[in-house]
Amino acid sequence: MAESEPVTVVVPVGEKRGCPEDEKDDAPSKKPKFESDHENGGPPQQDEMGEPEGEASDGEEDGDTFADMMKHGLTELDVGILKYVSDHEGFSGVLKERYSDFVVHEINKNGKIVHLDDLSVPAEAEEAQEPEQQPKECDLLTEEQKKQLGELQLFRNKEGNVSIEVLDDSKEKRTLVHKAIKNQFPGLETKTEEREGRKFIVAYHAAGKKALAEVKTTTAPRKHFWPKNRGSFCHFVLYKENKDTMDAINVLSKFLRLRPNMFSYMGTKDKRAITVQEIAVLKITAERLAHLNKCLMNLKLGNFCYKNHPLKLGELQGNHFTVVIRNITGTDEQVDQAMTSLKQTGFINYYGMQRFGTTAVPTHHVGRAILKNDWNEVMDLILKPRPGAEKEFLVRCREEWAKTQDPEAALKKLPNKRCVEGQLLRGLSMYGKKNIVTAFGLIPRNNRLMYIHSYQSRVWNTMVSRRIEAFGLKAVKGDLVLKGTTAHVLSAEEAESYSIHDIVMPLPGFDVIYPTHHIGEGYRELLTADRLDIDNMRHKVKDYSLAGAYRRVIIRPTDVSWEVINYDDPRVSLVHSDFEKLENKPAPVFNKEGKYRALRMEFSLPPSTYATMAIREVLKLDTSIKKQTQLNTTWFN
């Protein structure tokens, strides 16, 4: 097997478009299973401890400064990613130079690739409106009022408001005006005010601080009419550019004045990409959702329909990827050899670098401390100052904590208290430093579990690298395969009838078995070195008791295709997106004599797999931000 010696230059250069924060990891498994409910091909991004994998910096640092800061980051070797399965020669290329070079389409539970191809409101939604003959909404507001409301809606003055006097004052007329504003200008709230005997409807932005305070003190908005014969959930396709799934849902929640948990989905998708996935929301009409297309940036909603059920995490069959690697140096023969190997053999199913964070304190170190029940170490790892790339307010917060050990003083240094540090500090100020477990519980459950899943992932990566090193790409005596959901140890005779594609390896837990060859004993040695007892993986805190799971060693993508294309303009997208097709924009045209070459590949992956690991196998690259930044700096110089 080829060793991990990166031979590529990877230069992710960001498009100058808006980019919100990253979000969360998957929920834990309470009984052993074959892993299938995690995000695939770009799993839930880590929290504030790490930038998304493959993404450039915010643009605040120059190349040399960022490279210097990233000296403290992780490499693939640090998290057990060591081996390749193919022996082809690697070649260099530019991964995610533009976010539009990475396109993800969800594969739903029926095996269909999800596309955004219809923005219309379904007929049943229109028929379901209340039957009374009422004035049209457009007749209730003057053009000047619409202009003012539109400017307010577009965040030009969050704390401002628009007052509309109701001359023909009646409750029915006021109700119609309230409804007209909310339907035509999602994200705006309204209230009725009386001034010197005259009635005014005041519209204000739900995102403003004063407005939010106002919303909290008022009663909940009246329920909208909902026909009994219509499904309770509106399912729709969400198309997003350069946004994390949770960030996109938070935006929708704010505009629709809903709690984010009213939305459901089957998996989170990459931030630095164009992604298309199905979302469901409880008792919101397609018409209201379609209105959002007028005012949302980098988001589009369509393909509306009503169903009687929400969506559940893990229900998807996988994701389909279209990936462009720019400025490739490989010959056509090298590319064909690499892609044929990916199609026929596949790649090692490693957990990708985004699972582990990018700062000097990796997430799996925190996870190990949790599993050891060493809560002082957990607190120290999360809050202590650390070298490397971090936002300035986090640096100030950590310095204050190191100097005073005062959670309230450190908390004052954070403008956003919702980050992990802020939530932990808030817990410490409420419950005291002697109750760290309770304080840590203020962090959302998914974020807390991310740490221990990260530790499991590092163990799995390390042991799989040893398994490939020891036995190569064949099934051997002592390997594990799944029979249904139960793991079975292969005898020497049975191993003859199985291939490497059948072999699974366990994530450590209290309800899994381990291979009976020497790799199985390696698990015990690794956990012992980390001062953990492999025979006692139940935790005093139930949430942190991990049953374990089984994960395939090798994944073979399906629907694999590729082409080498030539182009002249590096600013032009090389993928025809769903939204561009809806807008009737022409597909990209490739010039056979173009001065740049790119590899355009497509493939489908099942849940719980990382597209970056498939690309790593093709290019033979180290996907860590640390290594990429070092290579980028050399390339720029």
Side-chain angles (χ1 to χ4, degrees), residues 39 93 141 253 295 307 519 534 578:
E39 166 51 31
L141 303 171
S253 303
C295 53
K307 298 182 181 179
I519 301 300
I534 199 170
D578 284 2

Side-chain angles (χ1 to χ4, degrees), residues 176-191:
L176 288 172
V177 176
H178 283 292
K179 187 177 176 183
I181 293 171
K182 290 178 180 180
N183 280 345
Q184 293 183 57
F185 302 94
L188 297 187
E189 274 289 2
T190 58
K191 62 181 178 180

Side-chain angles (χ1 to χ4, degrees), residues 66-256:
F66 188 72
D68 187 58
M69 297 171 92
M70 286 312 302
K71 287 177 184 175
H72 306 283
L74 295 171
T75 66
E76 289 185 344
L77 274 68
D78 297 321
V79 295
I81 301 174
L82 307 175
K83 312 297 289 184
Y84 296 103
V85 298
S86 56
D87 55 9
H88 72 268
E89 184 182 350
F91 51 90
S92 68
V94 183
L95 174 62
K96 290 190 178 184
E97 179 176 336
R98 301 171 65 86
Y99 68 71
S100 55
D101 290 345
F102 200 84
V103 181
V104 188
H105 287 88
E106 193 168 72
I107 303 172
N108 66 21
K109 57 186 176 183
N110 299 319
K112 181 183 176 184
I113 296 176
V114 175
H115 284 278
L116 179 78
D117 52 22
D118 182 5
L119 299 181
S120 65
V121 175
E124 61 266 30
E126 294 165 359
E127 291 163 8
Q129 302 305 311
E130 295 181 69
E132 299 90 46
Q133 291 297 316
Q134 296 173 339
K136 291 183 179 179
E137 288 177 1
C138 56
D139 298 334
L140 295 168
L141 303 171
T142 68
E143 290 305 316
E144 180 60 27
Q145 288 167 347
K146 288 178 186 177
K147 180 182 176 185
Q148 293 172 350
L149 291 165
E151 290 177 353
L152 182 64
Q153 181 192 39
L154 293 174
F155 297 90
R156 291 185 185 165
N157 183 2
K158 285 186 184 179
E159 306 302 348
N161 61 67
V162 175
S163 295
I164 298 172
E165 184 176 2
V166 186
L167 297 173
D168 177 21
D169 181 32
S170 68
K171 187 173 181 181
E172 292 73 20
K173 177 68 180 292
R174 291 199 305 271
T175 300
L176 288 172
V177 176
H178 283 292
K179 187 177 176 183
I181 293 171
K182 290 178 180 180
N183 280 345
Q184 293 183 57
F185 302 94
L188 297 187
E189 274 289 2
T190 58
K191 62 181 178 180
T192 303
E193 281 187 1
E194 188 166 341
R195 304 172 189 167
E196 300 175 355
R198 296 156 66 194
K199 290 280 180 68
F200 291 86
I201 290 176
V202 182
Y204 55 93
H205 207 293
K209 291 178 183 176
K210 293 176 187 173
L212 282 177
E214 199 72 48
V215 170
K216 288 173 185 172
T217 60
T218 58
T219 57
R222 213 176 314 160
K223 295 281 184 188
H224 287 277
F225 170 74
W226 198 265
K228 290 180 180 178
N229 61 352
R230 181 201 283 164
S232 295
F233 295 87
C234 186
H235 288 232
F236 62 94
V237 170
L238 171 66
Y239 167 100
K240 63 182 182 65
E241 298 183 1
N242 208 25
K243 283 188 189 296
D244 173 72
T245 298
M246 276 310 302
D247 182 80
I249 284 176
N250 287 334
V251 169
L252 298 179
S253 303
K254 191 174 288 184
F255 273 88
L256 294 166

Side-chain angles (χ1 to χ4, degrees), residues 572-615:
V572 171
S573 173
L574 302 181
V575 178
H576 201 203
S577 72
D578 284 2
F579 184 62
E580 288 172 332
K581 292 174 185 175
L582 275 172
E583 296 274 285
N584 293 318
K585 292 184 178 176
V589 177
F590 306 122
N591 180 359
K592 289 185 178 180
E593 304 301 321
K595 56 183 177 180
Y596 302 111
R597 291 172 73 242
L599 168 59
R600 185 182 186 276
M601 63 174 92
E602 291 194 42
F603 52 87
S604 296
L605 293 177
S608 187
T609 52
Y610 287 63
T612 48
M613 294 295 100
I615 295 164

Side-chain angles (χ1 to χ4, degrees), residues 32-36 351 460 480-482 485-488 504-507 511-514 548-552:
K33 58 179 179 175
F34 179 53
E35 267 206 351
S36 63
Y351 287 98
W460 193 90
L480 300 180
V481 295
L482 285 174
T485 58
T486 305
H488 171 74
V504 298
M505 291 274 280
L507 284 87
D511 207 3
V512 293
I513 63 172
Y514 297 87
Y550 299 103
R551 181 175 173 87
R552 290 196 186 278

Side-chain angles (χ1 to χ4, degrees), residues 368-388:
R368 180 176 59 196
I370 293 170
L371 294 172
K372 289 192 302 183
N373 211 36
D374 187 342
W375 292 98
N376 282 308
E377 185 183 358
V378 171
M379 179 175 67
D380 187 47
L381 287 170
I382 293 175
L383 296 178
K384 71 179 181 181
R386 58 186 68 171

